[in-house]
mmCIF file of all heavy atoms in Angstrom:
data_model
loop_
_atom_site.group_PDB
_atom_site.id
_atom_site.type_symbol
_atom_site.label_atom_id
_atom_site.label_comp_id
_atom_site.label_asym_id
_atom_site.label_seq_id
_atom_site.Cartn_x
_atom_site.Cartn_y
_atom_site.Cartn_z
ATOM 1 N N PRO A 185 -23.357 -42.203 -20.232
ATOM 2 C CA PRO A 185 -22.769 -42.327 -18.804
ATOM 3 C C PRO A 185 -23.078 -43.473 -18.069
ATOM 4 O O PRO A 185 -22.390 -43.900 -17.133
ATOM 5 C CB PRO A 185 -23.241 -41.037 -18.301
ATOM 6 C CG PRO A 185 -23.519 -40.137 -19.409
ATOM 7 C CD PRO A 185 -24.099 -40.968 -20.575
ATOM 8 N N GLY A 186 -24.325 -44.154 -18.349
ATOM 9 C CA GLY A 186 -24.679 -45.228 -17.501
ATOM 10 C C GLY A 186 -23.756 -46.337 -17.426
ATOM 11 O O GLY A 186 -23.659 -47.059 -16.466
ATOM 12 N N TYR A 187 -23.000 -46.614 -18.555
ATOM 13 C CA TYR A 187 -21.923 -47.635 -18.579
ATOM 14 C C TYR A 187 -20.942 -47.350 -17.432
ATOM 15 O O TYR A 187 -20.463 -48.186 -16.777
ATOM 16 C CB TYR A 187 -21.153 -47.667 -19.860
ATOM 17 C CG TYR A 187 -22.046 -48.078 -20.964
ATOM 18 C CD1 TYR A 187 -22.674 -47.299 -21.932
ATOM 19 C CD2 TYR A 187 -22.229 -49.601 -21.209
ATOM 20 C CE1 TYR A 187 -23.335 -47.757 -22.915
ATOM 21 C CE2 TYR A 187 -22.952 -50.001 -22.359
ATOM 22 C CZ TYR A 187 -23.502 -49.133 -23.140
ATOM 23 O OH TYR A 187 -24.310 -49.661 -24.216
ATOM 24 N N ILE A 188 -20.454 -46.149 -17.262
ATOM 25 C CA ILE A 188 -19.496 -45.709 -16.347
ATOM 26 C C ILE A 188 -20.036 -45.871 -14.940
ATOM 27 O O ILE A 188 -19.255 -46.120 -13.903
ATOM 28 C CB ILE A 188 -19.049 -44.300 -16.609
ATOM 29 C CG1 ILE A 188 -18.717 -43.935 -18.114
ATOM 30 C CG2 ILE A 188 -17.792 -43.777 -15.703
ATOM 31 C CD1 ILE A 188 -17.710 -44.899 -18.507
ATOM 32 N N PHE A 189 -21.335 -45.647 -14.726
ATOM 33 C CA PHE A 189 -21.852 -45.821 -13.377
ATOM 34 C C PHE A 189 -22.039 -47.388 -12.915
ATOM 35 O O PHE A 189 -21.952 -47.638 -11.757
ATOM 36 C CB PHE A 189 -23.274 -45.155 -13.317
ATOM 37 C CG PHE A 189 -23.128 -43.561 -13.592
ATOM 38 C CD1 PHE A 189 -24.160 -43.000 -14.267
ATOM 39 C CD2 PHE A 189 -22.107 -42.929 -13.156
ATOM 40 C CE1 PHE A 189 -24.162 -41.659 -14.464
ATOM 41 C CE2 PHE A 189 -22.036 -41.463 -13.305
ATOM 42 C CZ PHE A 189 -23.006 -40.928 -14.055
ATOM 43 N N VAL A 190 -22.423 -48.171 -13.886
ATOM 44 C CA VAL A 190 -22.607 -49.613 -13.633
ATOM 45 C C VAL A 190 -21.292 -50.441 -13.553
ATOM 46 O O VAL A 190 -21.109 -51.278 -12.738
ATOM 47 C CB VAL A 190 -23.536 -50.217 -14.664
ATOM 48 C CG1 VAL A 190 -23.738 -51.735 -14.480
ATOM 49 C CG2 VAL A 190 -24.911 -49.428 -14.672
ATOM 50 N N LEU A 191 -20.301 -50.181 -14.541
ATOM 51 C CA LEU A 191 -19.144 -51.159 -14.580
ATOM 52 C C LEU A 191 -18.278 -51.129 -13.457
ATOM 53 O O LEU A 191 -17.873 -52.364 -13.074
ATOM 54 C CB LEU A 191 -18.328 -50.664 -15.781
ATOM 55 C CG LEU A 191 -18.869 -51.161 -17.088
ATOM 56 C CD1 LEU A 191 -18.074 -50.543 -18.309
ATOM 57 C CD2 LEU A 191 -18.758 -52.787 -17.230
ATOM 58 N N PRO A 192 -18.088 -50.019 -12.665
ATOM 59 C CA PRO A 192 -17.056 -50.265 -11.538
ATOM 60 C C PRO A 192 -17.396 -51.287 -10.568
ATOM 61 O O PRO A 192 -16.623 -52.015 -10.169
ATOM 62 C CB PRO A 192 -17.182 -48.813 -10.880
ATOM 63 C CG PRO A 192 -17.475 -47.852 -11.937
ATOM 64 C CD PRO A 192 -18.398 -48.749 -12.811
ATOM 65 N N VAL A 193 -18.772 -51.534 -10.222
ATOM 66 C CA VAL A 193 -19.194 -52.468 -9.345
ATOM 67 C C VAL A 193 -18.825 -53.888 -9.817
ATOM 68 O O VAL A 193 -18.449 -54.805 -9.095
ATOM 69 C CB VAL A 193 -20.705 -52.282 -9.040
ATOM 70 C CG1 VAL A 193 -21.040 -53.405 -7.916
ATOM 71 C CG2 VAL A 193 -20.979 -50.976 -8.550
ATOM 72 N N LEU A 194 -19.157 -54.141 -11.218
ATOM 73 C CA LEU A 194 -19.020 -55.399 -11.927
ATOM 74 C C LEU A 194 -17.500 -55.679 -11.737
ATOM 75 O O LEU A 194 -17.072 -56.808 -11.438
ATOM 76 C CB LEU A 194 -19.532 -55.423 -13.259
ATOM 77 C CG LEU A 194 -19.165 -56.675 -14.117
ATOM 78 C CD1 LEU A 194 -19.552 -57.893 -13.474
ATOM 79 C CD2 LEU A 194 -19.711 -56.371 -15.519
ATOM 80 N N LEU A 195 -16.712 -54.721 -12.100
ATOM 81 C CA LEU A 195 -15.205 -54.911 -12.288
ATOM 82 C C LEU A 195 -14.649 -55.332 -10.900
ATOM 83 O O LEU A 195 -13.669 -56.038 -10.730
ATOM 84 C CB LEU A 195 -14.556 -53.779 -12.849
ATOM 85 C CG LEU A 195 -14.983 -53.501 -14.276
ATOM 86 C CD1 LEU A 195 -14.262 -52.236 -14.839
ATOM 87 C CD2 LEU A 195 -14.867 -54.561 -15.275
ATOM 88 N N LEU A 196 -15.260 -54.638 -9.780
ATOM 89 C CA LEU A 196 -14.793 -54.807 -8.426
ATOM 90 C C LEU A 196 -14.977 -56.284 -8.004
ATOM 91 O O LEU A 196 -14.125 -56.891 -7.433
ATOM 92 C CB LEU A 196 -15.559 -53.892 -7.460
ATOM 93 C CG LEU A 196 -15.118 -53.984 -5.989
ATOM 94 C CD1 LEU A 196 -13.621 -53.641 -5.819
ATOM 95 C CD2 LEU A 196 -15.997 -53.000 -5.216
ATOM 96 N N PHE A 197 -16.098 -56.770 -8.352
ATOM 97 C CA PHE A 197 -16.459 -58.247 -8.113
ATOM 98 C C PHE A 197 -15.511 -59.098 -8.739
ATOM 99 O O PHE A 197 -14.891 -60.141 -8.103
ATOM 100 C CB PHE A 197 -17.883 -58.569 -8.446
ATOM 101 C CG PHE A 197 -19.027 -58.027 -7.650
ATOM 102 C CD1 PHE A 197 -20.165 -57.496 -8.173
ATOM 103 C CD2 PHE A 197 -18.751 -58.045 -6.241
ATOM 104 C CE1 PHE A 197 -21.170 -57.026 -7.300
ATOM 105 C CE2 PHE A 197 -19.775 -57.561 -5.419
ATOM 106 C CZ PHE A 197 -20.969 -57.129 -6.035
ATOM 107 N N ILE A 198 -15.013 -58.851 -9.953
ATOM 108 C CA ILE A 198 -14.153 -59.692 -10.697
ATOM 109 C C ILE A 198 -12.794 -59.579 -10.119
ATOM 110 O O ILE A 198 -12.003 -60.559 -9.928
ATOM 111 C CB ILE A 198 -14.039 -59.366 -12.137
ATOM 112 C CG1 ILE A 198 -15.452 -59.568 -12.817
ATOM 113 C CG2 ILE A 198 -13.128 -60.235 -12.997
ATOM 114 C CD1 ILE A 198 -15.659 -58.975 -14.236
ATOM 115 N N ILE A 199 -12.286 -58.387 -9.633
ATOM 116 C CA ILE A 199 -11.022 -58.183 -8.953
ATOM 117 C C ILE A 199 -11.099 -58.954 -7.720
ATOM 118 O O ILE A 199 -10.010 -59.629 -7.402
ATOM 119 C CB ILE A 199 -10.828 -56.678 -8.684
ATOM 120 C CG1 ILE A 199 -10.472 -55.803 -9.982
ATOM 121 C CG2 ILE A 199 -9.715 -56.564 -7.768
ATOM 122 C CD1 ILE A 199 -10.464 -54.425 -9.759
ATOM 123 N N ILE A 200 -12.020 -58.925 -6.901
ATOM 124 C CA ILE A 200 -12.050 -59.574 -5.622
ATOM 125 C C ILE A 200 -11.946 -61.083 -5.856
ATOM 126 O O ILE A 200 -11.082 -61.833 -5.085
ATOM 127 C CB ILE A 200 -13.418 -59.319 -4.852
ATOM 128 C CG1 ILE A 200 -13.470 -57.773 -4.407
ATOM 129 C CG2 ILE A 200 -13.654 -60.239 -3.658
ATOM 130 C CD1 ILE A 200 -14.725 -57.389 -3.925
ATOM 131 N N HIS A 201 -12.518 -61.615 -6.851
ATOM 132 C CA HIS A 201 -12.452 -63.029 -7.207
ATOM 133 C C HIS A 201 -11.045 -63.438 -7.529
ATOM 134 O O HIS A 201 -10.534 -64.464 -6.940
ATOM 135 C CB HIS A 201 -13.396 -63.360 -8.482
ATOM 136 C CG HIS A 201 -12.945 -64.666 -9.136
ATOM 137 N ND1 HIS A 201 -13.262 -65.929 -8.412
ATOM 138 C CD2 HIS A 201 -12.369 -64.894 -10.230
ATOM 139 C CE1 HIS A 201 -12.739 -66.882 -9.213
ATOM 140 N NE2 HIS A 201 -12.239 -66.386 -10.352
ATOM 141 N N TYR A 202 -10.239 -62.675 -8.327
ATOM 142 C CA TYR A 202 -8.841 -62.985 -8.528
ATOM 143 C C TYR A 202 -7.984 -62.808 -7.468
ATOM 144 O O TYR A 202 -7.041 -63.583 -7.268
ATOM 145 C CB TYR A 202 -8.368 -62.168 -9.814
ATOM 146 C CG TYR A 202 -8.938 -62.683 -11.256
ATOM 147 C CD1 TYR A 202 -9.960 -62.261 -11.842
ATOM 148 C CD2 TYR A 202 -8.061 -63.662 -11.713
ATOM 149 C CE1 TYR A 202 -10.272 -62.790 -12.951
ATOM 150 C CE2 TYR A 202 -8.476 -64.267 -12.977
ATOM 151 C CZ TYR A 202 -9.577 -63.819 -13.598
ATOM 152 O OH TYR A 202 -9.932 -64.397 -14.754
ATOM 153 N N ILE A 203 -8.279 -61.853 -6.656
ATOM 154 C CA ILE A 203 -7.344 -61.583 -5.365
ATOM 155 C C ILE A 203 -7.477 -62.739 -4.468
ATOM 156 O O ILE A 203 -6.526 -63.305 -3.918
ATOM 157 C CB ILE A 203 -7.709 -60.265 -4.746
ATOM 158 C CG1 ILE A 203 -7.280 -59.121 -5.676
ATOM 159 C CG2 ILE A 203 -7.123 -60.203 -3.326
ATOM 160 C CD1 ILE A 203 -7.668 -57.727 -5.101
ATOM 161 N N ILE A 204 -8.786 -63.212 -4.267
ATOM 162 C CA ILE A 204 -9.014 -64.428 -3.404
ATOM 163 C C ILE A 204 -8.413 -65.596 -4.005
ATOM 164 O O ILE A 204 -7.746 -66.472 -3.303
ATOM 165 C CB ILE A 204 -10.498 -64.620 -3.214
ATOM 166 C CG1 ILE A 204 -11.086 -63.395 -2.358
ATOM 167 C CG2 ILE A 204 -10.725 -65.943 -2.401
ATOM 168 C CD1 ILE A 204 -12.487 -63.389 -2.228
ATOM 169 N N LEU A 205 -8.544 -65.762 -5.325
ATOM 170 C CA LEU A 205 -8.042 -67.021 -6.010
ATOM 171 C C LEU A 205 -6.494 -67.048 -5.862
ATOM 172 O O LEU A 205 -5.875 -68.154 -5.798
ATOM 173 C CB LEU A 205 -8.448 -66.908 -7.471
ATOM 174 C CG LEU A 205 -8.197 -68.148 -8.417
ATOM 175 C CD1 LEU A 205 -8.859 -69.566 -7.912
ATOM 176 C CD2 LEU A 205 -8.352 -67.869 -9.776
ATOM 177 N N LYS A 206 -5.766 -65.791 -6.006
ATOM 178 C CA LYS A 206 -4.323 -65.899 -6.131
ATOM 179 C C LYS A 206 -3.666 -65.153 -4.836
ATOM 180 O O LYS A 206 -2.643 -64.520 -5.078
ATOM 181 C CB LYS A 206 -3.909 -65.294 -7.367
ATOM 182 C CG LYS A 206 -4.403 -66.053 -8.648
ATOM 183 C CD LYS A 206 -3.705 -65.516 -9.860
ATOM 184 C CE LYS A 206 -4.160 -66.494 -11.101
ATOM 185 N NZ LYS A 206 -3.454 -66.040 -12.431
ATOM 186 N N ARG A 207 -4.367 -65.253 -3.783
ATOM 187 C CA ARG A 207 -4.012 -64.485 -2.543
ATOM 188 C C ARG A 207 -2.581 -64.901 -2.080
ATOM 189 O O ARG A 207 -1.873 -64.251 -1.307
ATOM 190 C CB ARG A 207 -5.027 -64.619 -1.462
ATOM 191 C CG ARG A 207 -5.311 -66.082 -1.049
ATOM 192 C CD ARG A 207 -6.551 -66.004 -0.050
ATOM 193 N NE ARG A 207 -6.683 -67.342 0.418
ATOM 194 C CZ ARG A 207 -7.403 -68.307 -0.226
ATOM 195 N NH1 ARG A 207 -7.976 -68.025 -1.486
ATOM 196 N NH2 ARG A 207 -7.670 -69.420 0.352
ATOM 197 N N LYS A 208 -2.210 -66.151 -2.370
ATOM 198 C CA LYS A 208 -0.846 -66.628 -1.779
ATOM 199 C C LYS A 208 0.231 -66.315 -2.740
ATOM 200 O O LYS A 208 1.410 -66.529 -2.503
ATOM 201 C CB LYS A 208 -1.036 -68.063 -1.660
ATOM 202 C CG LYS A 208 -1.983 -68.467 -0.479
ATOM 203 C CD LYS A 208 -2.056 -69.965 -0.211
ATOM 204 C CE LYS A 208 -3.034 -70.367 0.823
ATOM 205 N NZ LYS A 208 -3.047 -71.832 1.143
ATOM 206 N N GLU A 209 -0.061 -65.848 -4.028
ATOM 207 C CA GLU A 209 1.015 -65.433 -5.009
ATOM 208 C C GLU A 209 1.444 -63.995 -4.826
ATOM 209 O O GLU A 209 0.809 -63.202 -5.433
ATOM 210 C CB GLU A 209 0.533 -65.815 -6.429
ATOM 211 C CG GLU A 209 0.183 -67.305 -6.619
ATOM 212 C CD GLU A 209 -0.414 -67.587 -7.934
ATOM 213 O OE1 GLU A 209 0.086 -66.820 -8.959
ATOM 214 O OE2 GLU A 209 -1.296 -68.491 -8.074
ATOM 215 N N GLN A 210 2.466 -63.843 -3.965
ATOM 216 C CA GLN A 210 2.848 -62.515 -3.693
ATOM 217 C C GLN A 210 3.402 -61.817 -4.977
ATOM 218 O O GLN A 210 3.119 -60.568 -5.087
ATOM 219 C CB GLN A 210 3.960 -62.543 -2.620
ATOM 220 C CG GLN A 210 3.519 -62.968 -1.250
ATOM 221 C CD GLN A 210 2.465 -62.078 -0.664
ATOM 222 O OE1 GLN A 210 2.481 -60.892 -0.795
ATOM 223 N NE2 GLN A 210 1.442 -62.751 -0.156
ATOM 224 N N ASN A 211 4.173 -62.424 -5.758
ATOM 225 C CA ASN A 211 4.613 -61.653 -7.034
ATOM 226 C C ASN A 211 3.434 -61.297 -7.951
ATOM 227 O O ASN A 211 3.517 -60.288 -8.520
ATOM 228 C CB ASN A 211 5.556 -62.689 -7.745
ATOM 229 C CG ASN A 211 6.221 -62.007 -8.918
ATOM 230 O OD1 ASN A 211 6.841 -61.014 -8.801
ATOM 231 N ND2 ASN A 211 6.208 -62.667 -10.117
ATOM 232 N N TYR A 212 2.415 -62.200 -8.023
ATOM 233 C CA TYR A 212 1.261 -61.878 -8.863
ATOM 234 C C TYR A 212 0.563 -60.648 -8.256
ATOM 235 O O TYR A 212 0.242 -59.654 -9.105
ATOM 236 C CB TYR A 212 0.188 -63.041 -8.874
ATOM 237 C CG TYR A 212 -1.083 -62.647 -9.315
ATOM 238 C CD1 TYR A 212 -1.410 -62.519 -10.721
ATOM 239 C CD2 TYR A 212 -2.166 -62.274 -8.408
ATOM 240 C CE1 TYR A 212 -2.625 -62.224 -11.185
ATOM 241 C CE2 TYR A 212 -3.299 -61.903 -8.945
ATOM 242 C CZ TYR A 212 -3.714 -61.815 -10.280
ATOM 243 O OH TYR A 212 -4.900 -61.402 -10.784
ATOM 244 N N LEU A 213 0.372 -60.603 -7.037
ATOM 245 C CA LEU A 213 -0.252 -59.382 -6.337
ATOM 246 C C LEU A 213 0.488 -58.136 -6.528
ATOM 247 O O LEU A 213 -0.039 -57.110 -6.750
ATOM 248 C CB LEU A 213 -0.516 -59.737 -4.859
ATOM 249 C CG LEU A 213 -1.529 -60.818 -4.582
ATOM 250 C CD1 LEU A 213 -1.495 -61.122 -2.928
ATOM 251 C CD2 LEU A 213 -2.900 -60.519 -4.974
ATOM 252 N N LYS A 214 1.883 -58.182 -6.555
ATOM 253 C CA LYS A 214 2.612 -57.000 -6.706
ATOM 254 C C LYS A 214 2.413 -56.550 -8.214
ATOM 255 O O LYS A 214 2.217 -55.406 -8.405
ATOM 256 C CB LYS A 214 4.053 -57.255 -6.424
ATOM 257 C CG LYS A 214 4.379 -57.462 -4.938
ATOM 258 C CD LYS A 214 5.918 -57.727 -4.765
ATOM 259 C CE LYS A 214 6.181 -57.996 -3.256
ATOM 260 N NZ LYS A 214 7.596 -58.295 -3.017
ATOM 261 N N CYS A 215 2.556 -57.422 -9.159
ATOM 262 C CA CYS A 215 2.448 -57.093 -10.563
ATOM 263 C C CYS A 215 1.092 -56.556 -10.730
ATOM 264 O O CYS A 215 0.783 -55.667 -11.521
ATOM 265 C CB CYS A 215 2.609 -58.251 -11.384
ATOM 266 S SG CYS A 215 4.340 -58.833 -11.512
ATOM 267 N N LEU A 216 -0.069 -57.151 -10.239
ATOM 268 C CA LEU A 216 -1.348 -56.680 -10.489
ATOM 269 C C LEU A 216 -1.596 -55.274 -9.894
ATOM 270 O O LEU A 216 -2.182 -54.343 -10.477
ATOM 271 C CB LEU A 216 -2.311 -57.629 -9.720
ATOM 272 C CG LEU A 216 -3.891 -57.168 -9.743
ATOM 273 C CD1 LEU A 216 -4.347 -57.247 -11.253
ATOM 274 C CD2 LEU A 216 -4.754 -58.170 -8.881
ATOM 275 N N PHE A 217 -0.933 -54.929 -8.774
ATOM 276 C CA PHE A 217 -1.028 -53.594 -8.161
ATOM 277 C C PHE A 217 -0.330 -52.671 -9.096
ATOM 278 O O PHE A 217 -0.864 -51.587 -9.355
ATOM 279 C CB PHE A 217 -0.443 -53.623 -6.788
ATOM 280 C CG PHE A 217 -0.393 -52.203 -6.152
ATOM 281 C CD1 PHE A 217 -1.517 -51.630 -5.624
ATOM 282 C CD2 PHE A 217 0.747 -51.501 -6.231
ATOM 283 C CE1 PHE A 217 -1.446 -50.349 -5.028
ATOM 284 C CE2 PHE A 217 0.868 -50.100 -5.674
ATOM 285 C CZ PHE A 217 -0.386 -49.651 -5.069
ATOM 286 N N VAL A 218 0.831 -52.927 -9.567
ATOM 287 C CA VAL A 218 1.708 -52.068 -10.311
ATOM 288 C C VAL A 218 0.963 -51.663 -11.709
ATOM 289 O O VAL A 218 0.707 -50.618 -12.061
ATOM 290 C CB VAL A 218 3.066 -52.525 -10.587
ATOM 291 C CG1 VAL A 218 3.687 -51.725 -11.639
ATOM 292 C CG2 VAL A 218 3.869 -52.597 -9.187
ATOM 293 N N TYR A 219 0.598 -52.867 -12.486
ATOM 294 C CA TYR A 219 0.013 -52.643 -13.720
ATOM 295 C C TYR A 219 -1.483 -52.120 -13.649
ATOM 296 O O TYR A 219 -1.919 -51.417 -14.665
ATOM 297 C CB TYR A 219 0.150 -53.949 -14.543
ATOM 298 C CG TYR A 219 1.478 -54.220 -14.877
ATOM 299 C CD1 TYR A 219 2.322 -55.390 -14.408
ATOM 300 C CD2 TYR A 219 2.229 -53.431 -15.749
ATOM 301 C CE1 TYR A 219 3.526 -55.731 -14.755
ATOM 302 C CE2 TYR A 219 3.535 -53.618 -16.049
ATOM 303 C CZ TYR A 219 4.208 -54.807 -15.688
ATOM 304 O OH TYR A 219 5.488 -55.091 -15.926
ATOM 305 N N GLY A 220 -2.129 -52.499 -12.475
ATOM 306 C CA GLY A 220 -3.541 -51.981 -12.252
ATOM 307 C C GLY A 220 -3.416 -50.402 -12.100
ATOM 308 O O GLY A 220 -4.244 -49.702 -12.715
ATOM 309 N N PHE A 221 -2.386 -49.962 -11.253
ATOM 310 C CA PHE A 221 -2.125 -48.583 -11.179
ATOM 311 C C PHE A 221 -1.878 -47.869 -12.482
ATOM 312 O O PHE A 221 -2.487 -46.811 -12.726
ATOM 313 C CB PHE A 221 -1.120 -48.313 -10.099
ATOM 314 C CG PHE A 221 -0.726 -46.842 -10.000
ATOM 315 C CD1 PHE A 221 -1.627 -46.088 -9.066
ATOM 316 C CD2 PHE A 221 0.305 -46.301 -10.600
ATOM 317 C CE1 PHE A 221 -1.349 -44.682 -8.879
ATOM 318 C CE2 PHE A 221 0.657 -44.996 -10.315
ATOM 319 C CZ PHE A 221 -0.133 -44.126 -9.464
#
Side-chain angles (χ1 to χ4, degrees):
Y187 291 97
I188 311 305
F189 298 142
V190 175
L191 276 173
V193 183
L194 171 60
L195 300 184
L196 181 61
F197 285 142
I198 299 174
I199 290 173
I200 292 171
H201 163 69
Y202 275 96
I203 290 176
I204 294 172
L205 184 67
K206 300 189 178 185
R207 61 189 180 277
K208 294 182 181 180
E209 299 178 27
Q210 293 299 316
N211 188 50
Y212 166 83
L213 293 175
K214 288 179 183 178
C215 289
L216 180 61
F217 176 80
V218 171
Y219 291 115
F221 176 78

